Amino acid sequence: MQDFTDFWLRLDNAAKIYPAVKSQELTAVFRISVDLKERVKAKQFIEAIQSLENRFPYYKVTLKAGFFWYYLEPADLPFTVIPDSDTPCRAFEKQELLFRILVKANRISVEFSHILTDGTGALEFLKTLLFLYLEKTGVQLPQELPFHQPKDLPKEEEYEDAYNRYFKKIDSINQRQPNAFHLPFRLNDRPRLKILTAELSVKSIAANAKKYEVSITDYLVAVYLHSMQELFEEQSALKKHRSNKIIRIEVPVNLRRIFPSRTMRNFSLYVMPGIDLHLGHYSFEEIVKIVFHQVRLETDRKLISKMISRNVSGEKNPIVRTLPLFIKSLFLSILYSRGTKQYSGVVTNMGNIDLGTEINSLIQQFIFIPPPPNDILKVNCAAAGFNGKLHLTFCNITVSKELERKFLSFLTNQGIAVKLTRYT
């Protein structure tokens, strides 16, 4: 067991790029919220937070810059709760922990920097906090309920760099993909971020996905591609001629489902299904078929291993290791910009959240808000399912809501009831 009073952590492979590109607007911060059926009780909630102080020492850290790399250093800062009254997914200041806990009326939210963890790690933390809070309000927790008990010591696997654990050197040629089509809308005035949430019936959308023999995630990605194709086709002839004619969607993949790990840090990669408009117009049926096969191919264990090898090999390169941090950061920011140009949007699905009948009965909904998009992508989309409802969240930094309108109108035309909700 490691002594957490004097330790530091290297950034995992997924986290390394974020310090080089993050800003007050491009924050790399995401949020998960749970709405309870009753107002949050302050005393019990604070007690629950305090009981977690020693359970997640790998989250009780701040970002530091060394000569060669950024790293995470222990911080003598308490876990605190703040009122939820500001714009979601704000940037963290230099001396802050890289996550925050927020509360407002009956809503509990956690926000995490992607430097620290991904959606899976953040959800596990939120579930632990929620269970402890409910227990302190007198709720009898089911004995079989799995979560990070405060009395348990943190296990090393919880803070491992799982990318390095599953890294094996694979020699392959990295083929650069052509740039993708991006939304043609101008940006909002600052502060730019606007959020739109929509509630759908899981049963209804699952039935539609089943008609095409695909998953809900595949279906949502296909709808996004279809909507982007419409936006491309509505452009003038001159703009269509000048636009990139590839539409790709980045879809994060939780690698814990492929490579066993209990890490509470980042452990996800992505696939990028897409369509090539040089070949003409695609029907929705064609798009769904393409998404299904491309996702299955790209999530093959061997291809994921190749992607891990490609990503981790860069940081293990002896020349790269000896470069000072400011040169690494410049190089990473260029890589980030080039990479973003290769896809048109993001769809991230947290999947269905099920905490058991007793706990579910105390909860209204879960909302997943993705990190604010950069000025190339302009819109990000996230989904989370709970108790028969799927909540979609669009983060948009443009003056237009046309993508969301096309996306949700398509669902409505497919017989899926869409209810717009206000995230306040």
Side-chain angles (χ1 to χ4, degrees):
M1 175 62 197
Q2 183 164 352
D3 178 9
F4 285 101
T5 59
D6 184 22
F7 90 120
W8 61 276
L9 290 172
R10 291 185 177 89
L11 300 192
D12 59 61
N13 182 258
K16 280 185 166 63
I17 201 164
Y18 293 113
V21 301
K22 68 182 180 68
S23 66
Q24 288 300 308
E25 289 199 324
L26 187 61
T27 64
V29 175
F30 62 93
R31 172 185 287 210
I32 308 176
S33 299
V34 56
D35 289 359
L36 305 178
K37 291 182 178 178
E38 293 186 0
R39 192 178 185 89
V40 176
K41 297 177 173 65
K43 179 176 180 293
Q44 290 88 339
F45 189 61
I46 291 171
E47 288 174 355
I49 292 172
Q50 291 172 341
S51 70
L52 294 179
E53 282 282 344
N54 299 317
R55 183 57 188 84
F56 298 96
Y58 39 83
Y59 289 164
K60 203 172 181 180
V61 293
T62 54
L63 181 68
K64 299 293 183 180
F67 185 77
F68 294 108
W69 294 105
Y70 285 99
Y71 63 96
L72 300 173
E73 183 178 80
D76 188 21
L77 297 171
F79 287 6
T80 56
V81 59
I82 60 176
D84 184 6
S85 58
D86 211 332
T87 303
C89 306
R90 291 180 297 108
F92 291 98
E93 302 300 329
K94 265 191 174 182
Q95 299 307 315
E96 277 189 288
L97 298 179
L98 296 174
F99 80 100
R100 59 175 68 99
I101 302 168
L102 308 100
V103 67
K104 179 180 181 180
N106 64 325
R107 172 173 292 163
I108 298 169
S109 301
V110 293
E111 293 186 343
F112 277 82
S113 168
H114 251 309
I115 294 170
L116 205 56
T117 189
D118 55 20
T120 300
L123 180 60
E124 287 301 313
F125 178 88
L126 176 59
K127 283 160 59 175
T128 298
L129 174 58
L130 175 63
F131 295 155
L132 292 174
Y133 164 71
L134 292 175
E135 190 173 46
K136 291 184 182 298
T137 62
V139 174
Q140 188 72 34
L141 299 181
Q143 287 188 347
E144 69 280 5
L145 198 63
F147 66 100
H148 294 75
Q149 297 279 358
K151 66 179 186 302
D152 295 337
L153 293 174
K155 298 177 175 63
E156 288 192 21
E157 191 179 6
E158 293 178 30
Y159 54 91
E160 73 172 356
D161 183 344
Y163 299 101
N164 268 300
R165 174 181 171 185
Y166 286 105
F167 167 79
K168 61 178 180 179
K169 180 66 176 174
I170 298 173
D171 292 322
S172 63
I173 298 173
N174 182 25
Q175 296 180 328
R176 185 179 173 185
Q177 302 194 72
N179 290 342
F181 170 69
H182 293 104
L183 294 171
F185 311 129
R186 69 177 178 85
L187 301 181
N188 273 326
D189 295 331
R190 291 185 174 91
R192 294 190 169 120
L193 184 64
K194 305 297 180 187
I195 293 172
L196 176 71
T197 58
E199 181 183 285
L200 319 172
S201 162
V202 169
K203 184 178 179 180
S204 181
I205 196 168
N208 276 267
K210 188 177 181 180
K211 285 195 302 188
Y212 298 100
E213 299 181 319
V214 299
S215 70
I216 289 177
T217 301
D218 293 337
Y219 186 81
L220 293 173
V221 172
V223 175
Y224 205 113
L225 284 166
H226 187 270
S227 302
M228 291 289 289
Q229 178 180 238
E230 281 193 18
L231 290 169
F232 174 89
E233 292 175 343
E234 288 175 359
Q235 297 182 114
S236 68
L238 179 61
K239 285 187 176 180
K240 280 193 281 189
H241 176 72
R242 291 177 174 176
S243 293
N244 295 316
K245 295 174 179 61
I246 305 293
I247 303 178
R248 294 190 199 91
I249 304 300
E250 184 184 84
V251 186
V253 176
N254 179 10
L255 295 186
R256 298 166 186 83
R257 297 173 181 172
I258 302 172
F259 301 97
S261 175
R262 295 177 61 192
T263 186
M264 292 285 284
R265 301 173 70 194
N266 289 295
F267 195 38
S268 55
L269 284 175
Y270 54 85
V271 297
M272 290 200 295
I275 54 177
D276 183 351
L277 300 183
H278 291 97
L279 305 179
H281 176 85
Y282 289 79
S283 68
F284 183 70
E285 289 75 10
E286 289 174 314
I287 294 174
V288 170
K289 184 178 178 180
I290 289 168
V291 170
F292 174 82
H293 288 293
Q294 287 185 352
V295 169
R296 298 309 171 282
L297 175 64
E298 293 182 33
T299 52
D300 174 77
R301 186 183 175 103
K302 286 185 172 61
L303 290 181
I304 291 292
S305 293
K306 184 175 80 169
M307 193 182 297
I308 292 174
S309 174
R310 182 192 68 196
N311 293 351
V312 177
S313 291
E315 69 183 63
K316 291 182 177 292
N317 184 300
I319 297 175
V320 172
R321 290 169 68 94
T322 58
L323 293 175
L325 181 61
F326 76 93
I327 295 179
K328 285 192 182 85
S329 294
L330 178 62
F331 180 66
L332 287 170
S333 64
I334 293 171
L335 278 182
Y336 176 80
S337 179
R338 285 181 179 175
T340 304
K341 290 176 181 177
Q342 294 178 14
Y343 55 97
S344 312
V346 176
V347 174
T348 177
N349 186 5
M350 184 157 283
N352 188 58
I353 302 169
D354 184 1
L355 307 181
T357 305
E358 296 96 327
I359 305 300
N360 287 351
S361 67
L362 305 173
I363 297 171
Q364 287 183 346
Q365 62 188 19
F366 279 87
I367 302 287
F368 180 25
I369 300 180
N374 61 25
D375 58 8
I376 298 173
L377 292 183
K378 301 176 182 175
V379 177
N380 282 342
C381 177
F386 175 76
N387 205 24
K389 300 293 183 184
L390 182 78
H391 282 89
L392 284 176
T393 306
F394 294 90
C395 289
N396 189 330
I397 61 170
T398 79
V399 297
S400 173
K401 294 289 187 294
E402 190 62 13
L403 173 64
E404 295 93 318
R405 189 189 68 78
K406 288 187 179 299
F407 190 108
L408 298 175
S409 294
F410 181 88
L411 295 179
T412 301
N413 292 335
Q414 293 277 303
I416 300 170
V418 174
K419 176 185 175 184
L420 294 182
T421 58
R422 187 178 176 87
Y423 185 88
T424 54

